[in-house]
């Protein structure tokens, strides 16, 4: 009887651990998705900034030339 109870407790602990691991993995996946979106947005903004700087440089060259 004591052994059955200990086995049941160990099984419950294992299930709790599995559930915690699953939550952790889901959180990691969501964080990774957010990071990918943020990196994509940063890249878009960098490209936009480069375009604005190029346009600005061309206007300066025209006004000096």
């Amino acid at each position: 009887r004591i052994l059955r109870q200990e086995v049941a407790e160990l099984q419950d602990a294992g299930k709790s651990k599995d559930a915690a691991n699953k939550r952790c993995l889901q959180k990691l996946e969501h964080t990774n998705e957010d990071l990918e979106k943020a990196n994509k947005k940063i890249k878009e903004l960098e490209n936009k900034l480069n375009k604005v700087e190029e346009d600005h440089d061309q206007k300066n060259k025209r006004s000096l030339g």
Side-chain angles (χ1 to χ4, degrees):
R1 190 178 77 136
I2 294 172
L3 287 176
R4 279 191 216 135
Q5 184 178 356
E6 287 182 10
V7 167
E9 288 174 4
L10 288 172
Q11 287 174 337
D12 288 345
K15 289 176 185 176
S16 294
K17 184 179 177 183
D18 289 344
N21 283 338
K22 184 177 179 180
R23 285 191 307 273
C24 213
L25 179 59
Q26 287 174 339
K27 186 174 181 179
L28 179 61
E29 288 171 347
H30 291 138
T31 301
N32 191 47
E33 288 173 11
D34 291 343
L35 179 61
E36 287 176 358
K37 287 178 187 176
N39 282 334
K40 183 178 178 182
K41 184 67 175 179
I42 288 169
K43 197 70 169 170
E44 289 172 5
L45 292 171
E46 285 175 340
N47 289 338
K48 190 180 271 190
L49 177 60
N50 287 338
K51 174 91 170 88
V52 168
E53 288 174 342
E54 286 173 9
D55 291 347
H56 182 56
D57 288 346
Q58 287 178 359
K59 286 179 185 177
N60 281 344
K61 285 179 184 177
R62 276 188 238 136
S63 65
L64 293 174

